[in-house]
């Protein structure tokens, strides 16, 4: 009746292999170090600046030639846009994304819009907007407004991203947060901020209450309703 054996002799070794010499490239140095420390506190072994160069059935090989025996590999590197972008027959950029102008119209196709991960647009510094939910949400609101403006014969408005900062949850009572790119939080406080933000962004009080109750239950019981079914 149990999902996993309570045998204490069974132990898992978790290794995180990162291409870059640090974690969380978009975060300040102090929060990168905080994330590293919190991962290690969970027992995770972190290998930085030594990417995977080979993958076999029973091991992986790192760039320095090191062989790590394993039968379980979870690949999390890289993000690509939806393959639906290929249907448009236009030249895609940077991971299969559709180039758009500042009104979020597909380049060379007036009245056709692309938003979210599938759209490629650079900010004033020449950096592409990140493939994040807040970016997609603000782009969707602007496109809706521009569609109405187009129907009324008005000029479209350009996209201006309101960056409220970034957060990363690492585990139970562990997180890092960069609020409005000014306030740096780590540990339990950052974890609470992450939970609070996700509750606020849910639509409807009933949904918020339901999620809060589930979170409280999971926190105190270490139990989750999701089960892995093997057969």
């Amino acid at each position: 009746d149990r999902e996993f054996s309570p045998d204490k002799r069974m132990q898992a070794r978790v290794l995180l292999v990162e291409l870059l010499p640090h974690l969380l490239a978009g975060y300040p140095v102090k929060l990168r170090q905080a994330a590293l420390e919190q991962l290690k506190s969970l027992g995770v072994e972190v290998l930085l600046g030594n990417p995977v160069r080979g993958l076999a059935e029973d091991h992986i090989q790192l760039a320095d030639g090191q062989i790590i025996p394993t039968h379980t590999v979870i690949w999390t590197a890289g993000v690509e846009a939806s393959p639906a972008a290929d249907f448009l027959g236009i030249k895609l950029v940077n991971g299969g994304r559709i180039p758009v102008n500042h009104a979020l119209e597909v380049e060379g196709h007036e009245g056709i819009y692309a938003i979210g991960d599938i759209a490629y647009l650079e900010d004033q510094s020449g950096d592409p907007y990140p493939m994040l939910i807040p970016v997609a949400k603000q782009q969707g609101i602007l496109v809706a407004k521009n569609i109405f403006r187009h129907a009324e014969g008005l000029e479209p408005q350009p996209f201006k991203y309101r960056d409220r900062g970034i957060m990363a949850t690492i585990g139970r009572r562990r997180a890092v947060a960069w609020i409005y790119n000014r306030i740096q939080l780590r540990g339990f406080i950052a974890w609470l901020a992450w939970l609070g933000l996700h509750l606020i962004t849910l639509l409807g009080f009933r949904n918020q209450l339901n999620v809060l109750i589930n979170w409280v239950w999971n926190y105190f019981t270490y139990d989750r309703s999701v089960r892995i079914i093997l057969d």
Side-chain angles (χ1 to χ4, degrees):
D1 295 334
R2 294 192 179 103
E3 284 81 15
F4 303 100
S5 171
D7 192 340
K8 301 299 182 181
R9 295 173 298 176
M10 296 182 62
Q11 295 182 350
R13 183 190 180 196
V14 180
L15 292 93
L16 174 61
V17 181
E18 169 59 46
L19 166 67
L20 299 176
H22 51 73
L23 301 174
L24 301 177
Y27 288 72
V29 175
K30 290 184 178 180
L31 291 185
R32 295 176 188 171
Q33 184 61 31
L36 178 60
E37 293 171 358
Q38 291 178 78
L39 279 170
K40 289 183 177 180
S41 72
L42 290 170
V44 178
E45 300 177 41
V46 183
L47 303 178
L48 300 174
N50 195 9
V52 176
R53 285 289 181 261
L55 176 64
E57 184 176 349
D58 60 352
H59 71 271
I60 61 171
Q61 182 175 6
L62 304 183
D64 64 357
Q66 180 181 357
I67 301 294
I68 300 178
T70 180
H71 290 279
T72 304
V73 177
I74 302 175
W75 186 264
T76 62
V79 178
E80 285 192 11
S82 170
D86 295 329
F87 301 162
L88 297 179
I90 62 176
K91 185 178 180 179
L92 305 178
V93 296
N94 198 8
R97 301 170 72 182
I98 299 173
V100 298
N101 60 26
H102 288 283
L104 301 177
E105 290 180 311
V106 177
E107 293 285 359
H109 295 76
E110 183 179 354
I112 299 179
Y113 300 88
I115 63 172
D117 292 357
I118 206 171
Y120 181 86
L121 177 64
E122 296 179 354
D123 59 21
Q124 295 179 349
S125 302
D127 298 320
Y129 286 104
M131 302 166 78
L132 299 174
I133 292 176
V135 176
K137 183 177 180 180
Q138 293 181 33
Q139 288 179 342
I141 293 173
L142 177 66
V143 164
K145 292 179 179 178
N146 281 341
I147 290 175
F148 282 109
R149 291 179 67 86
H150 180 77
E152 296 172 0
L154 302 174
E155 290 294 322
Q157 294 178 339
F159 177 66
K160 296 180 180 179
Y161 179 50
R162 296 181 296 278
D163 191 354
R164 298 183 176 90
I166 48 180
M167 296 180 170
T169 178
I170 298 169
R172 187 182 179 86
R173 299 189 300 273
R174 296 171 175 86
V176 290
W178 196 17
I179 311 299
Y180 288 102
N181 297 332
R182 294 187 181 91
I183 304 172
Q184 298 183 26
L185 304 176
R186 56 174 294 174
F188 184 66
I189 296 177
W191 185 69
L192 288 178
W194 184 88
L195 293 177
L197 176 65
H198 283 73
L199 277 178
I200 292 173
T201 54
L202 288 175
L203 296 178
F205 176 75
R206 179 178 295 180
N207 290 332
Q208 294 173 340
L209 182 61
N210 183 51
V211 170
L212 178 60
I213 292 173
N214 287 333
W215 282 352
V216 171
W217 173 263
N218 293 336
Y219 183 83
F220 287 106
T221 64
Y222 290 82
D223 185 36
R224 292 180 178 273
S225 59
V226 177
R227 295 292 184 259
I228 300 175
I229 299 175
L230 300 178
D231 297 321

